[in-house]
Amino acid sequence: MVRQKKNWDEDDVRINKSRQFGSSNKTRPRTKDRPDYSKAQSATIIEVDRGRVQCLIESGANKTIITAMKARELGKKSVVVGDLVSVVGDISGTEGSLARVVSVLARKNSLTRTIDDHANDERVIVANVDQIAIVIATTNPEPREGFVDRALVVAYDQGIEPIIIMTKQDLANGDEFLETYKDLEIKVFKIDKSSDLGKLQKTLANKITVLIGHSGVGKSTLVNNLLESSKNKSVAVGDDSKHRATGDVNEVTGRGRHTSSSAIALPLSSSFDGENFGWIIDTPGVRSFGIAHIQPSRVISAFPEFTKAISHCPKNCSHNEATCALNDWPGFTNQNLARLESLRRVLSVE
């Protein structure tokens, strides 16, 4: 069947009335102009709660806590505690005021994990930190090398100083477990509920430290004791309700129950201008800490004594194979070799 050609005329043309010249309903013309954020104020994210965030604005000696919402263009998971951001709008900090986060500045580092070791499902926990405190218990729940090793891999990858805090010293000593990490020269603090936290506080002073650990290890109890010791329960957030709830361990599974649902930054000083001012970032207890997104070469490069040797490694070297240049590198001391053995064990964690 041959389709006959139709003779078209002007009645067959559909006209969009909203675009007719002179129409009162014409649409707004497109523009390449973008909002001017040149006068945006810099701030630091100290808490993320659903669609709203708490930000700290510092201007000389003046420090203000404000509430803000994220600009839509930033996306759902675009900001985390520790992020440096730009904010516009009402930054007075008065009750009921609301500002807007319009951009996130480049991060110097970030603490990330992958879910079930899927490299494409990377989650950022916090950003721009100086130290990571890996909190484990002597028992109840039992300390796990796999978790500590994974946390160390991320720390070395991002240039974050790791420390280990072992709680519940009143139940066991944990020395045998800690022996595994002695050659990596990591600071270790062994405490219980009644411990003097003076030495730990000195290590936290003038630093931004993120605390991570499994549920039930006593992390929230530790945070509360640190805040009590600094006599500064609520400078950053305004009321005592921000003290972290504490929980216990499930007797059936041996795992802790989640008591913290979001990360929050808390100051460790009697005032913002305290001599030993520092921040701790408490995070929810984690049950999985995947490191599929980490490259072994970046971890090894965090150790200066191995820098020259790894430059002679084969391409894509895992640093745990027969052809690795680290195997027979001249000049390594026994201490170097001990640290290398420990580091390779950490890198081989699955």
Side-chain angles (χ1 to χ4, degrees), residues 114-127:
T114 48
I115 307 303
D116 297 326
D117 280 339
H118 293 298
N120 293 329
D121 192 9
E122 185 177 346
R123 308 283 179 88
V124 181
I125 302 173
V126 296

Side-chain angles (χ1 to χ4, degrees), residues 247-321:
D248 52 17
V249 176
N250 187 309
E251 294 181 1
V252 176
T253 65
R255 293 183 174 183
R257 296 182 173 90
H258 291 295
T259 55
S260 303
S261 59
S262 61
I264 184 173
L266 298 162
L268 292 176
S269 176
S270 58
S271 70
F272 276 125
D273 300 314
E275 180 180 355
N276 295 318
F277 179 72
W279 288 92
I280 53 172
I281 302 176
D282 188 20
T283 61
V286 295
R287 288 182 178 168
S288 65
F289 201 93
I291 54 171
H293 59 295
I294 301 296
Q295 297 177 10
S297 59
R298 294 202 317 228
V299 178
I300 286 280
S301 65
F303 292 77
E305 64 265 45
F306 303 136
T307 301
K308 188 174 182 180
I310 62 175
S311 66
H312 292 78
C313 285
K315 186 177 181 181
N316 299 321
C317 181
S318 68
H319 306 298
N320 204 7
E321 54 197 62

Side-chain angles (χ1 to χ4, degrees), residues 41-43 54-59 62-68 87-100:
Q41 181 73 47
S42 297
Q54 296 287 310
C55 304
L56 171 67
I57 293 181
E58 301 183 66
S59 179
N62 299 320
K63 295 176 175 61
T64 306
I65 303 298
I66 67 168
T67 300
V87 295
V88 298
D90 189 342
I91 59 173
S92 64
T94 57
E95 185 176 357
S97 62
L98 185 64
R100 186 158 57 103

Side-chain angles (χ1 to χ4, degrees), residues 330-342:
F332 277 175
T333 64
N334 289 336
Q335 178 65 17
N336 292 146
L337 295 174
R339 281 165 62 82
L340 178 59
E341 183 179 351
S342 295

Side-chain angles (χ1 to χ4, degrees), residues 145 166 173-181 190:
E145 284 187 359
M166 178 171 268
N173 62 43
D175 288 342
E176 183 177 352
F177 180 88
L178 294 172
E179 187 74 12
T180 305
Y181 302 99
K190 301 167 64 176

